[in-house]
Amino acid sequence: CAILESRPWGKEQKVVVGEAITEGSSVFLRHEIGLGDWLMKNAYRKFGFDFLVRPRGGELPKTMADCHELLLSLTPLEKNPVALPKLIPTFHVERTTMNRHIAELAKAAGVAFLDGAAVERVELGEPHRIAYAHGGEPMELRAKWVIDCSGRRTVLGRQLGITHPVKTLDTAAVWNRFEGVNDDPAFWRTFRGVDRRRHTIHFCGQGFWFWWIHQRDNLTSVGVSYDKEQHQPDVKTDDRGFWEMVRKFPPIADALAGARALEPYQYYAHLPYQSDHWLSTRRYALVGDAAWFTDALYSIGIETACRQLAMLAPLVMNDARDGRVCDKTTATLNEEFAYTQKAVQELNRFK
């Protein structure tokens, strides 16, 4: 088993979204990869989600209390010593740190982890031939299976012509991470004294939504996805239109008053794309964002990858034993994947 990582070891990964770990992702990361102790020590445990919806018509909300609110919180169960251990723990996590830790685990497990190895092309065959550059020199690797985990670069899907932009959903996103956000407990308090920051917060308006992900005392991820037919912020500014969108939801502006952005603002001009299939009997697979992406809403990015890997691993192991890939299983998994893509796209249509 070999992993080709384009970044040299020690070079920090570009900050990515996907910082909210759902129940499904939590089960896989803790039980299949063994991240339970690491997550408890290094991630921020969250207890549900909060949706704050800007009322349609009339004045913009001045405070969060002026919004419609849907809060699903498990915080009351913290005081129940019987119930708390039975909960599936969920988290807000700083992704670059977690990704680096997983890479270290892979190396420790004996995987041939090649840092600074940029894949240039894949020639499918028996075996596959993977051409890559390492230290400026052309190299080649041969493998029975190729699994593309290249994220939005979608290396294999683009090469094969099976990954395409979704034209029926024209959305964009801009985000950053901040320090020095409003940390007054009274500002964040909601029903029965619950602290909203202990949940993944969604600030929603017509044609847009903001995420607010508290990761630790001085680190918060904030970003917005929006429908480009309904909103056209000036993306040529240094903040890529971020603050123009913030002004559409005044409580967010108050929460960020005096805060400092930690990196250049990141912007995706067109969010959604999809693949014709993610798995092939020709022994290749596209996993996670290498296969599709619609929106950060519902935190399904990592969970999709976890579910794919849980289905892919037995297929690869059976092939190693029997020398065949089941046509029926492959077709079924691709059919389920296509349905999921379509369903999530419909869920993300802004009204």
Side-chain angles (χ1 to χ4, degrees):
C1 179
I3 296 176
L4 304 183
E5 168 58 64
S6 60
R7 290 187 313 278
W9 184 254
K11 181 180 179 181
E12 283 293 333
Q13 179 186 11
K14 182 180 179 181
V15 174
V16 295
V17 293
E19 299 145 316
I21 304 298
T22 62
E23 285 80 0
S25 302
S26 173
V27 169
F28 185 90
L29 294 175
R30 290 181 301 113
H31 295 294
E32 299 299 326
I33 301 183
L35 290 187
D37 291 342
W38 187 92
L39 286 168
M40 286 295 191
K41 181 179 179 181
N42 296 280
Y44 180 83
R45 184 165 180 180
K46 74 187 187 87
F47 285 87
F49 59 76
D50 191 21
F51 281 84
L52 291 145
V53 181
R54 193 183 76 175
R56 294 197 179 192
E59 296 183 357
L60 295 179
K62 295 180 181 179
T63 68
M64 286 182 267
D66 297 328
C67 303
H68 305 301
E69 185 166 12
L70 171 64
L71 173 69
L72 176 61
S73 179
L74 298 175
T75 54
L77 297 181
E78 283 187 287
K79 300 177 182 179
N80 187 325
V82 176
L84 183 62
K86 296 180 180 179
L87 295 178
I88 298 175
T90 56
F91 305 92
H92 292 158
V93 63
E94 202 278 312
R95 278 288 302 279
T96 56
T97 303
M98 185 180 78
N99 293 357
R100 184 170 57 249
H101 179 66
I102 293 174
E104 291 169 348
L105 291 179
K107 292 181 178 182
V111 172
F113 202 108
L114 304 180
D115 298 295
V119 174
E120 297 178 339
R121 69 183 181 279
V122 177
E123 295 182 15
L124 298 179
E126 296 182 4
H128 305 311
R129 300 170 63 181
I130 302 97
Y132 66 98
H134 190 253
E137 296 295 325
M139 308 288 284
E140 183 179 279
L141 183 70
R142 298 190 179 192
K144 187 174 184 178
W145 275 86
V146 172
I147 301 173
D148 185 0
C149 302
S150 62
R152 289 186 68 90
R153 288 175 293 168
T154 60
V155 172
L156 188 56
R158 291 179 185 272
Q159 178 188 312
L160 298 177
I162 61 173
T163 303
H164 323 277
V166 174
K167 297 181 179 180
T168 57
L169 188 63
D170 192 11
T171 53
V174 57
W175 72 96
N176 210 322
R177 301 188 305 170
F178 295 86
E179 65 177 11
V181 304
N182 189 326
D183 62 357
D184 180 1
F187 181 84
W188 294 104
R189 193 172 297 128
T190 183
F191 311 109
R192 299 188 178 184
V194 172
D195 188 334
R196 292 184 175 97
R197 293 170 297 179
R198 304 192 69 191
H199 314 75
T200 304
I201 307 175
H202 309 70
F203 295 99
C204 307
Q206 187 169 359
F208 71 91
W209 78 279
F210 279 85
W211 68 81
W212 185 284
I213 297 177
H214 177 83
Q215 296 180 8
R216 55 176 184 262
D217 286 345
N218 213 20
L219 182 64
T220 304
S221 173
V222 187
V224 60
S225 294
Y226 59 89
D227 181 356
K228 292 169 69 176
E229 292 184 1
Q230 300 183 58
H231 302 279
Q232 299 86 34
D234 184 359
V235 299
K236 295 182 180 180
T237 59
D238 289 343
D239 70 346
R240 302 296 230 162
F242 177 85
W243 286 98
E244 185 177 340
M245 292 300 299
V246 165
R247 287 191 288 272
K248 298 175 185 287
F249 211 116
I252 303 176
D254 291 340
L256 288 174
R260 185 177 75 87
L262 296 179
E263 294 99 14
Y265 288 83
Q266 297 191 55
Y267 170 69
Y268 287 151
H270 184 78
L271 284 178
Y273 56 90
Q274 63 184 14
S275 296
D276 300 335
H277 58 269
W278 74 276
L279 181 62
S280 173
T281 54
R282 298 176 67 188
R283 296 184 172 89
Y284 66 81
L286 317 177
V287 171
D289 288 359
W292 74 311
F293 184 85
T294 302
D295 196 278
L297 191 61
Y298 309 120
S299 304
I300 61 173
I302 296 180
E303 182 160 338
T304 295
C306 293
R307 291 178 183 273
Q308 286 179 298
L309 291 171
M311 293 180 286
L312 178 61
L315 203 70
V316 174
M317 289 188 291
N318 289 339
D319 179 38
R321 183 183 62 246
D322 303 330
R324 60 183 295 271
V325 181
C326 179
D327 292 337
K328 184 177 180 180
T329 299
T330 300
T332 299
L333 293 176
N334 280 324
E335 183 179 354
E336 293 174 353
F337 176 74
Y339 177 79
T340 300
Q341 287 185 131
K342 182 178 180 180
V344 173
Q345 289 166 17
E346 291 300 321
L347 285 170
N348 280 272
R349 293 190 188 280
F350 291 107
K351 304 300 182 182

